[in-house]
Amino acid sequence: MASSLTKETLGAPAGDTAFFGHPRGLATLFMTEMWERFSYYGMRALLVMYLVSGGADAATGSQGGGLAMTAATATAIYSVYVAMVYLMAMPGGWFGDRVWGARKTVQIASFVIVAGHLCLALPGQIMFFVGLCLIAVGSGLLKANISTMVGHLYTDPKDVRRDGGFTIFYMGINLGAVLAPFVIGFLGEKVNWHLGFGLAAVGMAIGSITFLIGSRGFNKEDDRAPNPLSADEKRAVITKSLVCVAVIAAFYLLVGLTDVFTLTKNWVLVPIILAGLLIPIAVLTKIKRDKDLSGEEQTKMTAFIYFFVAAAVFWMIFDQGASTLSLFGDSKTERNIFGWDMPNTFFQALNPGFIMLLAPVAAAVWLALAKRNREPSTIVKFSIALAVAGASFFVFLVPMNLATDGTKVTMWWLVLIFLMHTVAELCLSPVGLSLTTKMAPAKYASQMMGVFFLAVTAGDSVTGMLAVAEVDLNSPGVVAFEAAAAVVAGVLIWMSRNKVRALMGDVR
């Protein structure tokens, strides 16, 4: 056992210092992801409010200056944006596996994200959407590869520190996310939207510099593409990419010339949402049918699909925290604390703040149960996550019904809902990240992390489709349906636990 935990085995340079008992490279990845999440969650906290904001309102202190869109359109844009961030994680993983290697991909991605936030800092609808596209592309390139780099720090599959390393990494994500609403959110909501977006660019720039300075602590595997493209494959990829770009450009040029290129008519959103629903299915099908995979890898992929579906249902509810719940909080909650009117964006700090508080507790509980050989299996943890997420929307029905006559309800209802989301997330997200690195076929090392993130794309695409269909996501009927769907999915996954456990083989 001792020899398997040497620094050489972990891929760290000789004489390297440890980071809380983990490889030194984890510190750099922790800080890079923290700043990336700071910029992402800060911007996300502002996004829906900026889209629906119109003229300034002296009575409420609203600054105005947004894009004055409807709540349905704003929710659709937000859902599509989040879906695209995680959809781009798939080609991001592909670039890491086949073109640049994980390390170079992450560095390039950080520059693209900075450019995107700088575009958001400029006024005007065109620059806004250009900025969203750049951030989605950059985040996709970064997400799959930086998580893969964490996995590369632990070259021994039996290294007991792997789950702990991902937990520390996950804490970095939430540290950036908890700070962002208090800084970016406050500045954007109370002073100027574009100053908030500009501060997000500064945060990502710090993360990019941190990655450059600390890059010597990484595994050498991060510098190479494990499955590089051949010359013929490169030519084929370039040709197909140019054809796709030409088809997309021709389509939007056509609808633009025919004067139907508007968000309200959904020519922009619907094709993207459909892609967000169909691409995850196509990717899973392609990998499952890959004849290069061994029988054991094929069996594990079958098990992975169960986890994928469960995660998609979970994220459909969870990601409405910055859209459906944000809109409800802005218009229907009383946020006065001892005479101080709390900014609505501060709600977005609740989930990461609870993560910071409860993640060590969850880790201690799992460890204590493991010592007694009673720790729930991964599939049971996923079932718990779905049940709790569904229950949170059943709770949401209470303040929704209390606020039907224009009465504002106490903000503590939303605090409880975000707490329940956090408990559910701790049962699913860090476990899912670690599980994916252990179940990934060797041929799809970085890409499998991108595949796991496609569950977010699928879940948010469902929300986006409901929004563009002008379904009122703040109506009790829709909320009750989503809540019931999550609970039922949790029960079905739990009932399949023995079958899934057998398919997972030696992975636990």
Side-chain angles (χ1 to χ4, degrees), residues 34-118:
M34 184 194 76
W35 284 112
E36 190 273 332
R37 293 291 87 182
F38 174 83
S39 65
Y40 173 78
Y41 279 101
M43 183 278 288
R44 200 175 86 155
L46 297 175
L47 184 56
V48 172
M49 294 180 64
Y50 172 69
L51 290 173
V52 301
S53 175
D57 188 338
T60 63
S62 170
Q63 58 159 302
L67 298 183
M69 295 180 180
T70 65
T73 301
T75 299
I77 292 172
Y78 162 80
S79 299
V80 167
Y81 164 67
V82 176
M84 290 305 101
V85 166
Y86 290 89
L87 176 62
M88 294 305 298
M90 186 63 206
W94 182 87
F95 267 93
D97 273 349
R98 309 215 62 188
V99 183
W100 290 328
R103 177 175 166 181
K104 185 176 181 180
T105 304
V106 169
Q107 190 64 74
I108 292 173
S110 67
F111 295 146
V112 174
I113 295 171
V114 171
H117 285 296
L118 288 175

Side-chain angles (χ1 to χ4, degrees), residues 160-247:
V160 296
R161 300 175 301 168
R162 177 184 290 265
D163 283 6
F166 271 98
T167 299
I168 292 173
F169 178 69
Y170 206 66
M171 293 290 281
I173 293 174
N174 287 283
L175 179 59
V178 77
L179 293 174
F182 294 117
V183 184
I184 296 174
F186 178 82
L187 182 64
E189 181 181 354
K190 295 299 183 182
V191 182
N192 183 279
W193 301 114
H194 300 290
L195 285 177
F197 294 138
L199 185 58
V202 173
M204 189 63 247
I206 295 174
S208 181
I209 294 170
T210 299
F211 188 83
L212 276 173
I213 294 174
S215 60
R216 70 182 184 90
F218 300 146
N219 191 310
K220 293 181 179 179
E221 288 294 310
D222 298 326
D223 292 325
R224 69 177 188 88
N227 184 26
L229 292 171
S230 65
D232 289 340
E233 287 175 324
K234 287 180 181 178
R235 285 191 291 270
V237 167
I238 292 173
T239 300
K240 291 178 182 178
S241 298
L242 291 175
V243 170
C244 288
V245 170
V247 170

